[in-house]
Every structure is written in structure tokens, then in C-alpha cells.
Amino acid sequence: MTRRISLTQYLIEQQREHGQIPQELRLLIEVVARACKRISISVTKGALGEVLGTAGSENVQGEIQKKLDIIANEVLIEANEWGGHLAAMASEEMEGIHVVPNRYPQGEYLLMFDPLDGSSNIDVNVSIGTIFSVLKKAEGGKGVSEDDFLQPGTAQAAAGYCVYGPQTTLVLTFGQGVAMFTLDREQGSFVLTSEGVKIPEDTKEFAINMSNMRHWDAPVSRYIDEALAGSTGPRGKDFNMRWIASMVADVHRILTRGGVFLYPWDKREPNKAGKLRLMYEANPMAFLVEQAGGAATNARQRIMDLQPTQLHERVAVVLGSKKEVERVTAYHLEAGKK
Ligand code: P6P
């Protein structure tokens, strides 16, 4: 039974015992957690809170923004700009970076987030979530620019997500394993409910949007065909499929019981590396998955090794149970896919 301690106690104990969570980073994570609590309150109001439906605008990705996308983005910006721990923020919902206003002290950290991932699920009451990634700004240098954010996933100081489902659960890593905290609404605080999270190396469960099948590259089709062939096929075992169309929910299932998640490159837009965003979706999820003993590649190389060139760049994603990710990646390398 995991000790039922608060997020604050956990962070202070980690800082005291392992010295691996600097004070400023601990403060940052606590502020992000409080913002996630506020988002959770808005999300769970649903129709009662006048928060459903579209906002009548598009984001930088050209996607229709839901009211809650904008609410979540504003909550995260307002919560994080005064604390003195951040130099700037970047969001899926904003084209450029948000530099901390001069009226507040600037810190050394950079925060990136997808404020509400899985927005297509909001109006149908299916789990959605907030994904965040923390980098440190390079020493020295005046001011802060988009270039300061363009660091590989291996440079992340922390990463996490908050899934708004039957429970509101915050999942975090600082590079020393993965811990999960469930929101106790009576206390109003996140309580440690799991630590040392581990993803089984093997799985019988894959997650992919099957409606894109005709657009897949051959190695993806090979992997899925073999899985669908089941116990009579080359894999010698039957597989199950899940697709929630909410990365946070699919990744949470994988962190909880294993599985492999694929959002591969496909032929519809050959110049687009994938659908998901590297900086605030793939990298934080890759950090969590690797810290839980899983793997995360773009079907050819480790996601966290990729050197970003743009803030909103997209990437193909294969993540989860290590042996399955390795198999998908091997199929791509065998096929000589660049
Ligand atoms: P599709 C949500 O819009 C998202 O960015 C991820 O959360 C999710 O995994 C994916 O896109 C779903 O994409 O094509 O199935 O709607």
C-alpha cells in the first residue's frame, strides 16, 4: 500500500532525501498542480458550467478551439506567470512563447504545455488531460526567445500530465521514476497513490486509429496485421485494441497496465512527420514512459534524442511496452524507412 501523503510532502521528501528537486522546480510543479485542480473543476462542471462546445476560433495548428481549451490555457498562464520560477511558457494554443511580464521576477525554467489534450472528447464526457514539460533556460544570455525552448527531450527537468477522468490523477517524473497522485476532492489536494510505476515489457494491447489504415506505411501495416492475425499468426497470441483519441488517457492506461500506442507518419501529408507535437506531447510522454521502463521512438529513433527545430513541430509516436516498441522500430529500420 502506497503511503497516502500529499504532493507537497512527497516533493519536500524527495528534495530532502535525494536533493533532486530544486526548490524552484518544486514550487513550479506545485503551481502547475494547483492549475490542474482548477481545470479539473471546470471540466467536471460540463454543461452546468457553460464550458462545453467550441470557442469559435482556431489555434496555431488550425484546429477549432473548444471553450475549455482556452479556459485551460488561461488558467495555466495566470497561475504560472507571477511565481518567479519561470522565464517563459509555450502552449499548443499559442503561436509564440509567452514571456513572463516584467512586473514579475523571471526564473530559470521554461514550461510547455498542451492545456487540454483530447479536446474532441470534451463534449462526449470522455477523459481528457493537461500535458506539461519543464526545461531549464540556458545559463547567461539576455532575455528569452523561442530558441531557448528548442532542446531535446533528454534535457527535460520534469514532465507530467493530469488526466481528468473518473479520477483526476497527476502523473509526474523528475527523472527518478514515475509517481501518481489522485485528487482528493474533500481535502482539495493531490494524494500519492502510486510510485515506482513500471510498464510491463510485453503486452497484448495496441492503440492506433484504425481508420487511417489505408494511409499507413508498410512497417506499421505489418505490425498491426500480425497483431490482428492473433494466436494463429506470427505473434502466436491474440491482441486487444483500444483507441480513446485522447493521448493522455491512452498513455495513462499504458502506464497502468502496459500496451503500445502508435500515431505513425502516414501518406496523407507526406511532409508532415506525424500528428502529435514533439515539445509538449511526445517529449513529456516519452520521458514518463521511459522512466517507467518503457520506450518511445518516432518509429526509427528515440523521441527524446530528437533535436527540435520548431516550437510546434510534429513527430510520429510509438510508445509503451518496450519489446513492442522495439519490434515496430525494427520493422521500420529493416524496411530502410528514413
Ligand atoms: P485522431 C487529440 O486531438 C490528439 O492530439 C491526441 O490526444 C490523440 O491521441 C490524437 O490526437 C487522436 O487523433 O486522429 O484519432 O482524432
Side-chain angles (χ1 to χ4, degrees), residues 219 223 262 295-302 318 322-335 337:
Y223 177 77
L262 302 91
T297 74
N298 65 357
R300 294 167 309 283
Q301 66 183 96
R302 186 184 180 214
V318 181
K322 191 170 192 154
K323 287 189 182 167
E324 293 302 312
V325 174
E326 288 171 349
R327 177 182 290 265
V328 175
T329 305
Y331 288 1
H332 280 77
L333 297 178
E334 281 168 31
K337 292 294 167 188

Side-chain angles (χ1 to χ4, degrees), residues 11-254:
L11 293 175
I12 288 172
E13 286 183 0
Q14 290 292 311
Q15 189 179 331
R16 182 185 305 144
E17 288 162 23
H18 308 294
Q20 37 103 8
I21 307 180
Q23 173 93 2
E24 286 300 284
L25 182 57
R26 176 169 67 80
L27 287 174
L28 167 55
I29 295 301
E30 291 205 89
V31 169
V32 170
R34 272 196 296 278
C36 290
K37 263 194 285 186
R38 283 180 55 197
I39 295 168
S40 175
I41 290 166
S42 294
V43 165
T44 48
K45 278 185 179 151
L48 298 176
E50 302 295 319
V51 295
L52 300 183
T54 60
S57 52
E58 280 189 358
N59 65 14
V60 64
Q61 331 283 342
E63 295 164 339
I64 299 291
Q65 289 180 303
K66 301 281 190 170
K67 288 178 188 170
L68 272 170
D69 282 323
I70 294 173
I71 292 167
N73 194 60
E74 288 168 355
V75 166
L76 283 158
I77 295 285
E78 287 161 21
N80 282 289
E81 61 180 0
W82 52 268
H85 41 263
L86 283 182
M89 292 176 252
S91 166
E92 180 188 78
E93 301 303 329
M94 302 185 302
E95 182 152 11
I97 65 171
H98 177 89
V99 178
V100 168
N102 290 333
R103 63 182 180 279
Y104 298 125
Q106 280 217 349
E108 59 182 346
Y109 290 104
L110 303 170
L111 178 66
M112 294 167 286
F113 45 82
D114 179 354
L116 209 58
D117 175 69
S119 304
S120 63
N121 288 309
I122 292 173
D123 295 350
V124 294
N125 199 15
V126 170
S127 299
I128 49 185
T130 298
I131 310 173
F132 56 91
S133 172
V134 182
L135 292 168
K136 274 186 87 167
K137 184 169 160 304
E139 300 290 326
K142 291 288 290 170
V144 57
S145 72
E146 188 171 305
D147 288 349
D148 289 298
F149 285 80
L150 301 183
Q151 302 177 44
T154 48
Q156 292 175 97
Y161 62 80
C162 192
V163 54
Y164 311 114
Q167 302 102 44
T168 287
T169 302
L170 180 71
V171 181
L172 279 178
T173 187
F174 296 90
Q176 310 289 329
V178 175
M180 296 187 175
F181 305 82
T182 301
L183 181 60
D184 178 336
R185 293 185 185 280
E186 287 158 10
Q187 284 187 58
S189 59
F190 282 105
V191 177
L192 180 69
T193 43
S194 180
E195 55 183 332
V197 173
K198 285 289 169 243
I199 300 174
E201 283 200 342
D202 292 300
T203 184
K204 295 179 180 178
E205 199 160 66
F206 66 86
I208 194 167
N209 181 340
M210 294 292 282
S211 70
N212 298 331
M213 185 182 288
R214 65 191 183 284
H215 307 303
W216 294 338
D217 213 351
V220 176
S221 301
R222 175 185 172 190
Y223 177 77
I224 297 297
D225 288 347
E226 289 179 355
L228 293 174
S231 53
T232 58
R235 299 301 308 276
K237 61 182 182 179
D238 292 332
F239 280 73
N240 195 6
M241 194 212 100
R242 289 286 184 274
W243 186 249
I244 306 176
S246 176
M247 186 185 197
V248 172
D250 281 314
V251 169
H252 193 70
R253 184 189 59 254
I254 289 170

